[in-house]
């Protein structure tokens, strides 16, 4: 087909008579035309063949197929009192951007960008050895304590009241976790009185004396942290914890029946006590708690991208199993109540493991858990967000662990700038555009076989309907290492027109955002013709809907 060649013309002897030269010129012109014609057709046919052969992903759905409405608290986060999350993170009085209370303004601005509706505090493992009373009152009178969980020194300069004022600055709500490791019922009772009682009792008046005239009105209360973990200070068996949690929940609800109480589930599905822990804890607490917590972290220390990108399969399975256990206990108890889930720790975490082993103990604000996230981590975080949203009918609260410096989307330098890590971006877009109704879509796309997860779809996709705006937002990760995938959306009763396509892509899976290069991984806007997902990319596509 492509054999039309200029060589035929070039072969003509230059000594030929002019007339015949002209004639030959004509022949040459015809050959040229034929050549361009043939070439044009070839390109057309070839591109058609390539287009036909391009991998396809068809998404089918419609307004009548809905999983549920997203509770905005699914975009929550977590600020633990350790590492440089607080000291050098949210709090650094000597920083150029610090306000009158020592809170970093650059960090506040980035947290507001993420629009985080709830922040869990103060831990984490830290909470199981924490006396909340140490963290209130005049700063110069606060004791310095040893944090046994992280083997650090805690000067208590950013305490309970500072945290509550900071949540107002970032326009967020607090989730307060009580210490059920070294302490228990009395501490929780006192803490809720200090925080939420208007006044006229010793502890509520103490809060007023400390500058907070109005009660904080903290609605979400966590009953301890990872109490199933042998590493936890004050670790308990499921029976011990279940009994204690049920009494603390009862006391909190006696104070205010409107409080929402979260019991500890397993620290991950790898725990040997999973899922028996869930069953036993719920046997004790089913009628007095509102949520059961889940924690899970993801890693790629074996550098196996195909498996790492399928991490949302593991999250899906974990959530599905916990839902099944909750519903089993519901059936056993002949209860009408549905237990909801609070996935209050999730993220990628492994990059800092080795460097953390070399840290000096008992310092203030050590460089702990400072994972520098790669581009592939951002893809995985995108898939994990899809998994949480896919379960929005049961997962009502979730906390990206964590927020600043320690396994976080926001990174700072002491006395220097703050910047967005790669994982900032999928979270940012999900938080801004993921609050609507999640549709129960069907995905038609090829799969790959993975030794850990079995059959894995090349695309992880999720669709959110925004009724008021008449918009549909699609979050999609192309897991394919080298195939661009064309996307077709069939929404039966809607006509959908693409209005925006944002993409995160990179040739380098290990690319990071650093102080020197804070925007190496940043979102780009794609053209609107021909909807395709680039190989190894995260995408957000917005459609306007008619019909
Ligand atoms: O988020 C870091 C730690 O991970 C938390 O302190 C603990 O709850 C979990 O093991």
């Amino acid at each position: 087909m492509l054999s039309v060649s200029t060589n035929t013309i070039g072969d003509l002897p230059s000594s030929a008579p002019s007339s015949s030269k002209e004639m030959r010129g004509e022949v040459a012109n015809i050959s040229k035309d034929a050549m361009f014609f043939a070439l044009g057709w070839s390109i057309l046919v070839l591109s058609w063949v390539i287009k036909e052969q391009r991998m396809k992903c068809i998404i089918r759905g419609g307004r009548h197929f809905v999983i549920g409405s997203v509770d905005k608290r699914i975009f929550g986060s977590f600020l633990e009192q350790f590492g440089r999350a607080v000291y050098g993170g949210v709090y650094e009085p000597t920083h150029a951007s610090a306000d009158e209370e020592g809170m970093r303004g650059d960090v506040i601005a980035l947290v507001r960008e993420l629009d985080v509706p709830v922040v869990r505090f103060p831990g984490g493992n830290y909470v199981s050895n924490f006396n909340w009373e140490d963290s209130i009152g005049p700063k110069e009178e606060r004791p310095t304590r040893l944090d046994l969980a992280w083997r650090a020194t805690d000067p208590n300069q950013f305490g309970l009241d500072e945290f509550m004022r900071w949540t107002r600055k970032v326009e967020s709500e607090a989730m307060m976790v009580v210490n059920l490791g070294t302490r228990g019922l009395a501490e929780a009772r006192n803490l809720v009185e200090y925080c939420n009682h208007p006044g006229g009792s010793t502890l509520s008046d103490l809060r007023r004396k400390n500058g907070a005239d109005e009660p904080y009105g903290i609605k979400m209360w966590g009953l301890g942290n990872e109490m199933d973990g042998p590493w936890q200070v004050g670790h308990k068996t499921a029976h011990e914890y279940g009994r204690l949690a049920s009494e603390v929940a009862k006391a909190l609800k006696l104070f205010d029946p409107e409080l929402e109480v979260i019991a500890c589930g397993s620290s991950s599905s790898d725990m040997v006590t999973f899922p028996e822990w869930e069953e036993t804890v719920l046997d004790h607490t089913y009628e007095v708690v509102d949520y059961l917590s889940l924690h899970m972290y993801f890693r790629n220390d074996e550098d196996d991208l195909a498996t790492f990108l399928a991490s949302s399969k593991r999250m899906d399975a974990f959530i599905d199993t916990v839902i099944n256990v909750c519903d089993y206990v519901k059936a056993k108890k002949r209860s009408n109540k549905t237990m909801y889930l609070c996935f209050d720790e999730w993220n990628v975490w492994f990059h800092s493991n080795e460097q953390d082993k070399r840290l000096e103990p008992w310092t203030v604000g050590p460089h702990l858990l400072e994972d520098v996230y790669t581009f592939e981590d951002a893809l995985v975080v995108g898939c994990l967000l899809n998994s949480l949203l896919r379960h929005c009918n049961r997962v009502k609260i979730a906390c990206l662990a964590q927020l600043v410096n320690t396994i976080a989307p926001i990174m700072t330098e002491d006395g220097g700038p703050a910047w967005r890590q790669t994982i900032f971006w999928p979270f940012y877009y999900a938080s801004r555009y993921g609050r609507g109704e999640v549709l129960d879509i069907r995905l038609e796309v090829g799969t790959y076989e993975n030794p850990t997860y079995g059959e894995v779809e090349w695309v992880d996709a999720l669709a959110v309907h925004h009724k008021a705006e008449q918009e549909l937002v699609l979050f999609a990760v192309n897991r394919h290492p080298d195939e661009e995938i064309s996307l077709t959306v069939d929404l039966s009763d809607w006509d959908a027109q693409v209005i925006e396509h944002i993409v995160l892509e990179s040739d380098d899976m290990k690319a990071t955002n650093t102080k020197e290069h804070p925007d190496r991984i940043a979102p780009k806007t794609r053209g609107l013709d021909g909807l395709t997902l680039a190989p190894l990319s995260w995408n957000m596509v917005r459609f306007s809907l008619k019909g």
Side-chain angles (χ1 to χ4, degrees):
M1 200 169 21
L2 290 174
S3 60
V4 181
S5 138
T6 48
N7 287 349
T8 3
I9 303 160
D11 286 348
L12 289 171
S14 54
S15 58
S18 65
S19 60
S20 101
K21 261 194 190 167
E22 273 158 23
M23 194 196 79
R24 286 176 191 206
E26 228 167 72
V27 171
N29 279 342
I30 291 167
S31 302
K32 256 190 196 161
D33 287 350
M35 179 189 76
F36 285 127
F37 184 71
L39 201 66
W41 267 105
S42 312
I43 291 169
L44 214 70
V45 169
L46 206 66
S47 63
W48 179 77
V49 169
I50 290 170
K51 205 170 156 208
E52 280 313 288
Q53 282 176 350
R54 181 177 286 156
M55 201 175 258
K56 280 187 195 151
C57 173
I58 304 173
I59 292 175
R60 298 187 201 280
R63 73 176 96 221
H64 303 298
F65 306 99
V66 176
I67 292 178
S69 285
V70 175
D71 186 322
K72 66 175 182 179
R73 296 176 301 173
I74 217 167
F75 303 112
S77 191
F78 177 25
L79 184 72
E80 182 162 358
Q81 267 282 15
F82 77 145
R84 293 192 312 122
V86 168
Y87 303 108
V90 302
Y91 180 76
E92 194 180 345
T94 54
H95 193 269
S97 75
D99 63 14
E100 63 298 341
E101 291 194 277
M103 319 278 187
R104 280 184 68 148
D106 54 354
V107 172
I108 289 175
L110 288 172
V111 175
R112 285 167 79 142
E113 252 184 57
L114 283 179
D115 198 358
V116 177
V118 41
V119 181
R120 183 171 179 251
F121 181 82
N125 295 336
Y126 170 89
V127 78
S128 297
N129 181 54
F130 169 60
N131 299 336
W132 67 268
E133 305 87 335
D134 294 343
S135 78
I136 58 168
K139 286 188 178 178
E140 59 288 358
E141 289 171 24
R142 297 183 193 173
T144 294
R145 297 278 187 199
L146 294 186
D147 163 15
L148 297 182
W150 300 103
R151 306 189 76 234
T153 298
D154 177 11
N156 275 306
Q157 294 301 290
F158 181 94
L160 185 60
D161 295 306
E162 285 80 23
F163 171 69
M164 290 312 298
R165 287 198 290 275
W166 180 82
T167 58
R168 307 287 188 256
K169 292 179 190 191
V170 296
E171 294 175 18
S172 193
E173 217 184 310
M175 179 200 293
M176 192 58 69
V177 183
V178 300
N179 174 356
L180 295 191
T182 56
R183 305 183 84 190
L185 184 54
E187 182 236 4
R189 177 206 55 195
N190 291 348
L191 182 57
V192 77
E193 180 186 321
Y194 180 87
C195 293
N196 283 9
H197 196 58
S201 72
T202 304
L203 290 170
S204 57
D205 288 344
L206 180 60
R207 182 200 67 241
R208 298 180 70 186
K209 190 172 148 223
N210 288 338
D213 222 21
E214 293 299 314
Y216 291 132
I218 300 170
K219 197 162 179 206
M220 287 164 274
W221 291 81
L223 303 175
N225 176 69
E226 295 191 349
M227 301 308 299
D228 62 325
W231 59 85
Q232 201 67 217
V233 178
H235 160 61
K236 293 180 174 44
T237 66
H239 281 291
E240 288 166 348
Y241 173 70
R243 277 293 301 129
L244 177 59
S246 106
E247 289 305 316
V248 175
K250 189 173 86 188
L252 291 174
K253 298 240 171 170
L254 282 171
F255 173 80
D256 177 0
E258 296 300 310
L259 297 184
E260 295 192 327
V261 178
I262 304 144
C264 282
S266 292
S267 305
S268 94
S269 57
D270 294 337
M271 300 299 290
V272 286
T273 47
F274 175 77
E276 212 183 318
W277 172 275
E278 278 68 8
E279 185 194 350
T280 309
V281 168
L282 289 177
D283 276 341
H284 288 288
T285 60
Y286 200 87
E287 295 303 339
V288 280
V289 304
D290 305 281
Y291 304 91
L292 186 66
S293 82
L294 296 84
H295 289 184
M296 189 170 261
Y297 291 97
F298 302 84
R299 51 199 304 144
N300 187 23
D301 35 13
E302 292 186 359
D303 205 8
D304 172 357
L305 186 58
T307 303
F308 188 43
L309 287 176
S311 296
S312 50
K313 292 274 178 195
R314 184 165 167 238
M315 191 184 235
D316 284 342
F318 186 28
I319 297 173
D320 290 339
T321 307
V322 175
I323 290 173
N324 289 337
V325 178
C326 290
D327 292 350
Y328 167 66
V329 177
K330 175 181 182 175
K332 268 204 304 187
K333 290 188 174 285
R334 313 289 190 258
S335 173
N336 287 326
K337 174 179 170 179
T338 298
M339 184 61 57
Y340 291 105
L341 307 187
C342 172
F343 211 124
D344 52 26
E345 286 189 34
W346 69 272
N347 202 350
V348 171
W349 172 14
F350 70 101
H351 296 285
S352 57
N353 290 351
E354 284 310 307
Q355 78 201 34
D356 285 352
K357 288 180 192 156
R358 297 189 289 273
L359 284 175
E360 277 293 306
W362 315 124
T363 60
V364 178
H367 286 255
L368 191 67
L369 269 68
E370 296 201 1
D371 275 39
V372 176
Y373 288 113
T374 59
F375 172 68
E376 66 188 27
D377 297 331
L379 296 181
V380 168
V381 164
C383 294
L384 298 175
L385 283 158
N386 282 355
S387 169
L388 290 171
L389 290 169
R390 254 194 296 281
H391 293 93
C392 69
N393 55 343
R394 294 301 283 268
V395 178
K396 297 292 170 189
I397 312 172
C399 303
L400 173 69
Q402 299 191 5
L403 191 53
V404 187
N405 287 331
T406 48
I407 45 172
I410 298 167
M411 205 69 180
T412 71
E413 185 185 63
D414 295 342
W419 61 95
R420 301 167 189 84
Q421 292 235 56
T422 61
I423 63 166
F424 183 98
W425 291 114
F427 191 91
Y428 169 90
Y429 283 103
S431 174
R432 295 200 161 238
Y433 293 95
R435 302 175 189 200
E437 273 191 339
V438 175
L439 297 187
D440 193 4
I441 53 170
R442 293 292 172 272
L443 201 65
E444 283 171 33
V445 69
T447 57
Y448 63 99
E449 199 51 36
N450 178 264
T452 309
Y453 297 112
E455 209 180 345
V456 181
E457 301 76 22
W458 284 119
V459 174
D460 187 323
L462 183 113
V464 182
H465 177 213
H466 297 273
K467 267 189 188 153
E469 293 82 2
Q470 281 281 82
E471 266 185 38
L472 184 105
V473 177
L474 201 74
F475 297 104
V477 174
N478 180 356
R479 295 179 170 120
H480 205 290
D482 32 51
E483 289 278 349
E484 182 163 74
I485 299 182
S486 77
L487 197 66
T488 308
V489 178
D490 175 359
L491 299 171
S492 57
D493 41 4
W494 276 316
D495 245 4
Q497 205 189 343
V498 183
I499 49 174
E500 190 178 24
H501 183 175
I502 304 284
V503 65
L504 286 177
E505 56 188 336
S506 171
D507 291 339
D508 179 4
M509 289 299 108
K510 306 295 179 194
T512 55
N513 287 347
T514 57
K515 184 186 117 189
E516 290 73 27
H517 301 284
D519 299 319
R520 200 179 274 134
I521 300 300
K524 291 178 206 146
T525 303
R526 267 206 152 193
L528 301 184
D529 349 304
L531 196 49
T532 57
L533 308 175
L536 295 172
S537 65
W538 171 94
N539 302 261
M540 182 189 79
V541 188
R542 287 172 56 214
F543 299 86
S544 90
L545 300 174
K546 282 205 188 84

